[in-house]
Amino acid sequence: MQKVLVLTGGASGIGRGILERAVLDGWLCAVLDLPGENLETLHDAFPSGTVTTFAVDITDEDGVEAAIGQIAAKHGAIDGLVNCAGIGQNLSFMDTKPAQLRKILDINVVGSFIVAQSAARHMKHGSIVNITSVSGIQGSVGRAAYGTSKGAVNTMTRILAVELAPKGIRVNAIAPGPVETPMTVQWHNEKTRKDWISRVPLGRYGSIGEIASMTMVLLDENVSAYVNGQIIAVDGGFTVSGLMDI
């Protein structure tokens, strides 16, 4: 029997890469994302019956519960969840307005909470993977709101790992470093890229495929059945680097 994966933010970027890999690995995927062209094109991009889509704002509790309820009713249970939906911001602490912080916390933290809670009600076992960021581990300029939100999801991951373990549900997070995505192309100028690479021992940006591969490892109970409550930085060594010039 095919396993069922709920994926938020699967219409673009890292989420789309995870979706492509999950379908390739034989998962039936239900994508929750905002309405728009990216979401509408998913049906034609994948084999018939492998992907279903729900135009849902993850901060809408009733909308999320309705979508996940439909998924569970159709398939009987949910085997995996990947929380990938979120928004970013590059703005200094002193320039960040409280309203901007609230918006980012609402989507990145509260939204992830809502989806995880709803999915867990329909999981008899399985795996939850939260996509966070190295900005939630390391202090970086311009990440006052975004880094705070991702740090909160990292902590939530550890708590859920403890509370949901008796149900046979593992909860882990992946914290990507700099990754080549459409958003990166838009936000990272030449200086920004140079600054990032100067702190990454592997000397390059990561790929969406590398994040997707680690996600599938954490979803696969045959590979990671004893991995629980971990924040795994997929970052080329960024979070552990110190002096690099020898």
Side-chain angles (χ1 to χ4, degrees):
M1 179 179 290
Q2 286 181 293
K3 292 187 176 181
V4 177
L5 175 67
V6 175
L7 169 62
T8 71
S12 62
I14 289 175
R16 174 63 182 262
I18 293 170
L19 175 62
E20 292 174 356
R21 178 60 187 273
V23 170
L24 188 64
D25 285 1
W27 289 75
L28 294 176
C29 299
V31 177
L32 278 60
D33 212 324
L34 293 174
E37 184 179 353
N38 287 338
L39 188 64
E40 293 169 2
T41 60
L42 290 185
H43 288 291
D44 295 331
F46 296 93
S48 177
T50 59
V51 176
T52 56
T53 61
F54 297 85
V56 178
D57 182 334
I58 61 170
T59 65
D60 175 5
E61 297 171 55
D62 292 338
V64 168
E65 187 61 34
I68 291 182
Q70 287 183 50
I71 297 163
K74 180 178 180 180
H75 298 287
I78 292 168
D79 302 290
L81 164 66
V82 177
N83 268 317
C84 193
I87 59 172
Q89 177 178 282
N90 185 19
L91 197 62
S92 71
F93 167 66
M94 295 303 294
D95 291 329
T96 300
K97 304 297 184 185
Q100 294 170 309
L101 173 63
R102 290 190 184 100
K103 180 178 180 180
I104 288 178
L105 291 176
D106 195 32
I107 295 171
N108 293 0
V109 184
V110 180
S112 295
F113 179 97
I114 290 170
V115 177
Q117 188 178 68
S118 181
R121 293 191 183 104
H122 301 282
M123 296 175 72
K124 297 176 182 178
H125 61 83
S127 173
I128 295 174
V129 181
N130 296 316
I131 307 299
T132 63
S133 171
V134 292
S135 295
I137 300 173
Q138 299 278 75
S140 296
V141 296
R143 303 297 193 272
Y146 178 71
T148 296
S149 75
K150 293 302 187 178
V153 177
N154 285 340
T155 297
M156 182 170 67
T157 296
R158 297 183 179 102
I159 294 168
L160 298 190
V162 174
E163 290 203 12
L164 296 179
K167 291 189 63 174
I169 301 172
R170 298 177 297 109
V171 187
N172 295 284
I174 293 173
V179 175
E180 297 284 6
T181 67
M183 186 178 295
T184 301
V185 172
Q186 180 182 349
W187 283 14
H188 289 198
N189 58 30
E190 185 177 347
K191 180 182 183 304
T192 302
R193 295 180 71 89
K194 183 178 179 181
D195 289 344
W196 270 109
I197 289 173
S198 72
R199 290 288 311 279
V200 175
L202 288 184
R204 63 174 177 85
Y205 277 34
S207 70
I208 289 176
E210 287 168 322
I211 306 303
S213 293
M214 181 56 70
T215 302
M216 300 317 297
V217 166
L218 293 176
L219 288 173
D220 189 345
E221 293 184 335
N222 293 319
V223 177
S224 58
Y226 204 52
V227 180
N228 191 36
Q230 301 306 302
I231 315 301
I232 300 175
V234 182
D235 65 351
F238 170 78
T239 51
V240 299
S241 64
L243 293 174
M244 289 173 54
D245 250 343
I246 299 176

